[in-house]
Amino acid sequence: MADIIKLLPDHVANQIAAGEVVQRPASVVKELLENAIDADATEIKLVLKDAGKSLIQVIDNGVGMSPTDARLSFERHATSKIDTAEDLFNLHTKGFRGEALASIAAIAHVELKTRNEATEIGTKICIEGSEVSAQEATVVPVGTTISVKNLFYNIPARRNFLKSNPVETRHIIDEFHRVALAHPSVAFKMIHNGNDVFNLPESNSRQRIVNIFGSKTNEKLVPVSEETDIVKVTGFVLKPEFGKKSRGEQFFFVNDRFIKSPYLHHSVSSAFEGLMRPDHHPGYFLFLDVDPHSIDINIHPTKTEVKFEDEHAIYAMLRSTIKHSLGQFNVAPVLDFDKDATFDTPYAYAGKSPVMPTIEVDKNFNPFDNERKQPSIKFPFKRESASSWESLYVGLKDQNERDRELGSFEVESEEVSGSLFTSEKSSEAHVTFQIQNKYIVSSIKSGLMIIHQNLAHQRILYEGFLKSITINEAVSQQLLFPLTLHFSKPKVVLLQGLKEQLEYTGFIFSKLEDEMAEIQGIPVGVVESSIEGIFEQLISDFQNDVPDAGFSQNDLLAKSLAKTMAIKTGVSMQREAQEHLIHQLFACKEPSVSPDNRPVLITMDVADFDKKFM
Ligand code: ADP
Ligand code: MG
């Protein structure tokens, strides 16, 4: 019998190999975006038609290629990223196998335009089914544009297996997210069938997440950060209450590469144990930085699986770091005076043996006493009589009421043992002072509390506004002369939609039409000259984040107003004002976080000081 084994022609070999790298349009998107990142692009634009089935185009402003490199880039195993097999263990690029462009060119019509800094004139190459059909000089800026048309045109079976456009688009968006999240300092755009889908400016990690998943995500994020000899972890987990039944946002990045890891996922899930319903999954965006020598990425063609040298150590470290972050986040309820503080176990006590609970009986309780007593609140600050500085703060209708309540808090605080704050009975007055016109420092029983004045005031105003809007009651100060502001038509329409809620915060409109707002009353404590700025900010907040339901609309309104009206950093505050701020803060439901979920205060224990003096 004659010999029957023959070498496959290149284009057939390429087609077969392409099957490993390119399963669907999203695979092409991933490879092209990663090449642009590897080329140090700072701006990357992805243009799609028909879910990438007709066109996938990636335009970058990276380093570009010389004419020779441009031609070579389509050869199999042609790469500029590694020289030797050892380099595989010192990777700082996304690509290294040198097969993406060869694979893509085997199964589509590809056009490459590129130029590097060293070459005056650029190169254009057209290639179809691995055959170069044209190569010519062209005038282009430095960078690379690759257009991939008619994917799988020569493999009808694969083309027929592609899913509907919405499904393929979903896959593309997933890949786009993965690359964009890993590289917040790079600006990304995605355009599909002529419509802008994403426009992500250069930013930081948190902003990038928010830009992709919407502004409400911001409040859901709990920062995670830890560094050990083998791994550095940064990023965010979503608060337990935002866990989803379906797998929601779950992202691991290792050295800025998105990876899938059921093992590490398990570690994160176990950190949430007891905080989330068993059928729910946590959300996370976690960035692991490890020594490239300690991982092997070369175990899967799409490079989404990674083998770690110290897998067990990373598992344990991830779990404890996330637990710790969630624990810190749970500091909030410790300061929540609506609850009994003893219910919340501070993280540091986890694992220690519990103490037998004691029962406290309110001996003075009289069921026939109509005046409902406030629960025991540990409040250290003396009520000051109202004076002019109080107008610094927006009064919020129920100010007096609240102050009365605070008065009663204080009396009770003297009976409480183990209170958070130092006893107020002693002659030593309660000391607060301001540092750098930014933080208010106060001594508390366990050490020190440092309060961010701007964020604290935001929290106070935010809760106040929300309350006024919810209970539909407002106090307003009448203006002597109505204030007229001019806005464009769409802005006036936007304000009309918010008119009712705005009135509950204290704004009174005598006219709101025809590109103009005439304002007769404003919230108490607000300076007239700041009104225009407040409205401009409000309008822009609503333009950038169109909330759907009534509740989120109120929330955004309260947040926006609180932000613009709050006492700024840099403002010097008198002692009385400092104390009053603390006073109001601890009358809030959630004193320890700002409306945007930033920490409002930190505490430092004497034990921490002690350590520093050892
Ligand atoms: P790999 O990324 O694994 O090296 P590819 O087939 O994706 O393999 O790309 C081959 C080579 O082409 C890369 O090593 C790089 O030198 C060059 N290249 C590809 N895309 C770009 C781009 N957008 N900008 C500059 N060079 C590129
Ligand atoms: Mg590549």
Side-chain angles (χ1 to χ4, degrees):
M1 195 170 150
D3 297 338
I4 51 170
I5 297 180
K6 52 186 175 293
L7 274 177
L8 287 174
D10 268 359
H11 72 275
V12 180
N14 281 345
Q15 267 188 25
I16 295 170
E20 281 208 323
V21 183
V22 183
Q23 285 101 35
R24 52 179 11 127
S27 332
V28 175
V29 168
K30 170 182 191 282
E31 295 296 337
L32 298 185
L33 291 178
E34 290 190 345
N35 279 348
I37 295 281
D38 284 346
D40 291 329
T42 57
E43 282 172 25
I44 301 175
K45 190 161 137 187
L46 169 66
V47 182
L48 304 160
K49 276 197 192 128
D50 304 325
K53 293 172 186 171
S54 322
L55 174 73
I56 300 164
Q57 184 181 51
V58 172
I59 303 162
D60 73 52
N61 66 348
V63 294
M65 286 179 261
S66 71
T68 319
D69 282 351
R71 178 65 195 81
L72 262 179
S73 67
F74 290 104
E75 294 296 327
R76 183 157 304 279
H77 310 306
T79 179
S80 55
K81 299 169 192 172
I82 59 171
D83 291 318
T84 66
E86 277 92 77
D87 293 345
L88 279 178
F89 296 96
N90 192 21
L91 281 173
H92 296 280
T93 54
K94 299 275 165 297
F96 56 84
R97 300 169 64 111
E99 48 187 12
L101 290 188
S103 298
I104 294 165
I107 49 164
H109 298 140
V110 179
E111 184 196 89
L112 166 74
K113 284 188 195 167
T114 188
R115 178 164 82 83
N116 65 7
E117 202 64 73
T119 332
E120 293 266 300
I121 197 100
T123 309
K124 175 175 151 181
I125 293 180
C126 297
I127 185 163
E128 300 176 4
S130 303
E131 299 280 321
V132 177
S133 60
Q135 170 155 5
E136 58 201 47
T138 181
V139 178
V140 281
V142 172
T144 302
T145 297
I146 298 197
S147 313
V148 176
K149 290 181 194 159
N150 311 320
L151 191 67
F152 297 133
Y153 78 100
N154 50 359
I155 319 181
R158 300 211 73 158
R159 198 167 168 90
N160 293 339
F161 269 112
L162 291 181
K163 298 275 185 336
S164 68
N165 283 2
V167 173
E168 294 299 341
T169 307
R170 190 63 248 165
H171 284 290
I172 291 176
I173 289 176
D174 284 346
E175 293 295 353
F176 179 83
H177 284 171
R178 292 167 182 176
V179 179
L181 285 168
H183 300 279
S185 59
V186 177
F188 285 90
K189 258 193 189 147
M190 172 170 160
I191 296 161
H192 188 202
N193 292 336
N195 301 316
D196 275 8
V197 185
F198 290 100
N199 188 355
L200 309 174
E202 175 196 341
S203 63
N204 63 24
S205 190
R206 185 177 198 128
Q207 289 167 328
R208 178 57 53 93
I209 294 170
V210 170
N211 284 337
I212 291 179
F213 295 104
S215 62
K216 290 201 191 72
T217 319
N218 200 16
E219 299 153 47
K220 304 179 186 171
L221 300 175
V222 180
V224 174
S225 163
E226 182 65 273
E227 188 165 359
T228 69
D229 289 343
I230 52 163
V231 60
K232 180 176 160 214
V233 180
T234 53
F236 304 90
V237 292
L238 295 185
K239 289 182 191 172
E241 63 263 38
F242 298 106
K244 285 188 184 162
K245 263 198 164 158
S246 59
R247 290 268 175 121
E249 284 92 39
Q250 300 174 335
F251 296 88
F252 279 120
F253 300 90
V254 173
N255 296 356
D256 295 338
R257 179 193 303 277
F258 171 81
I259 60 144
K260 292 178 184 158
S261 171
Y263 183 68
L264 295 186
H265 172 77
H266 189 270
S267 151
V268 178
S269 298
S270 72
F272 277 83
E273 231 161 50
L275 297 171
M276 220 161 47
R277 291 224 295 279
D279 54 343
H280 282 55
H281 303 285
Y284 50 85
F285 306 86
L286 294 168
F287 299 84
L288 283 69
D289 276 307
V290 297
D291 179 350
H293 290 97
S294 73
I295 48 171
D296 181 1
I297 308 161
N298 195 25
I299 47 176
H300 194 271
T302 57
K303 296 167 286 193
T304 48
E305 279 165 43
V306 168
K307 222 163 56 206
F308 295 93
E309 208 172 83
D310 307 292
E311 207 172 37
H312 295 302
I314 294 179
Y315 181 101
M317 188 267 194
L318 200 56
R319 180 165 182 264
S320 73
T321 302
I322 293 172
K323 272 195 158 188
H324 184 76
S325 298
L326 291 171
Q328 280 194 328
F329 164 69
N330 275 340
V331 165
V334 178
L335 294 164
D336 184 342
F337 294 117
D338 283 339
K339 286 195 207 157
D340 186 335
T342 52
F343 284 3
D344 298 293
T345 315
Y347 177 68
Y349 292 123
K352 300 209 177 137
S353 48
V355 183
M356 267 303 278
T358 53
I359 299 168
E360 277 181 47
V361 180
D362 182 357
K363 296 186 204 84
N364 300 323
F365 178 72
N366 175 356
F368 302 104
D369 187 348
N370 280 337
E371 268 214 24
R372 205 175 72 80
K373 281 250 172 70
Q374 289 296 326
S376 301
I377 299 289
K378 300 126 188 173
F379 206 86
F381 300 98
K382 276 232 159 67
R383 196 28 225 118
E384 305 283 345
S385 62
S387 54
S388 60
W389 53 260
E390 218 174 55
S391 66
L392 235 181
Y393 306 91
V394 180
L396 305 175
K397 171 218 148 266
D398 54 346
Q399 185 57 60
N400 290 334
E401 196 181 291
R402 211 171 238 179
D403 288 346
R404 248 181 282 123
E405 288 171 7
L406 288 173
S408 76
F409 290 173
E410 191 211 321
V411 176
E412 299 210 11
S413 76
E414 292 170 359
E415 296 161 3
V416 177
S417 58
S419 120
L420 178 66
F421 297 96
T422 33
S423 166
E424 192 44 20
K425 247 185 176 170
S426 64
S427 57
E428 61 182 83
H430 211 84
V431 190
T432 70
F433 59 93
Q434 205 186 10
I435 40 179
Q436 302 209 338
N437 290 342
K438 185 173 184 183
Y439 297 108
I440 297 168
V441 181
S442 167
S443 59
I444 55 173
K445 191 171 186 196
S446 62
L448 265 190
M449 173 147 54
I450 303 166
I451 296 171
H452 190 292
Q453 68 188 44
N454 171 259
L455 296 178
H457 199 212
Q458 282 192 34
R459 163 54 63 182
I460 296 162
L461 294 176
Y462 167 74
E463 288 198 10
F465 284 132
L466 259 193
K467 188 168 172 190
S468 309
I469 298 171
T470 316
I471 63 173
N472 297 355
E473 266 178 331
V475 267
S476 184
Q477 58 184 22
Q478 285 279 324
L479 295 176
L480 217 46
F481 304 101
L483 178 72
T484 308
L485 299 175
H486 295 276
F487 299 108
S488 67
K489 185 97 197 162
K491 289 182 180 175
V492 170
V493 172
L494 194 152
L495 288 177
Q496 282 167 343
L498 293 173
K499 183 164 177 261
E500 195 186 341
Q501 289 108 307
L502 278 169
E503 288 185 336
Y504 292 130
T505 67
F507 287 101
I508 300 169
F509 297 92
S510 41
K511 233 189 229 159
L512 187 58
E513 58 198 4
D514 300 334
E515 312 204 338
M516 143 183 153
E518 198 178 83
I519 297 159
Q520 225 169 16
I522 59 178
V524 177
V526 176
V527 210
E528 200 181 320
S529 58
S530 66
I531 299 297
E532 184 157 8
I534 290 171
F535 277 100
E536 284 297 346
Q537 187 59 44
L538 182 74
I539 289 166
S540 119
D541 284 349
F542 270 82
Q543 280 171 337
N544 292 325
D545 178 16
V546 187
D548 23 26
F551 173 72
S552 44
Q553 201 176 49
N554 295 346
D555 190 64
L556 182 58
L557 177 73
K559 252 185 223 160
S560 173
L561 293 180
K563 223 177 195 156
T564 29
M565 294 182 192
I567 297 170
K568 299 283 178 292
T569 291
V571 175
S572 150
M573 293 172 73
Q574 299 293 311
R575 262 282 290 288
E576 284 176 317
Q578 296 169 19
E579 289 181 5
H580 187 70
L581 183 85
I582 299 180
H583 222 98
Q584 288 185 307
L585 179 65
F586 285 102
C588 286
K589 283 210 181 97
E590 268 197 82
S592 60
V593 282
S594 77
D596 285 332
N597 201 33
R598 289 166 58 190
V600 165
L601 53 91
I602 53 172
T603 55
M604 296 176 86
D605 284 4
V606 171
D608 295 334
F609 302 155
D610 292 345
K611 269 189 226 143
K612 300 228 186 258
F613 287 101
M614 285 213 278

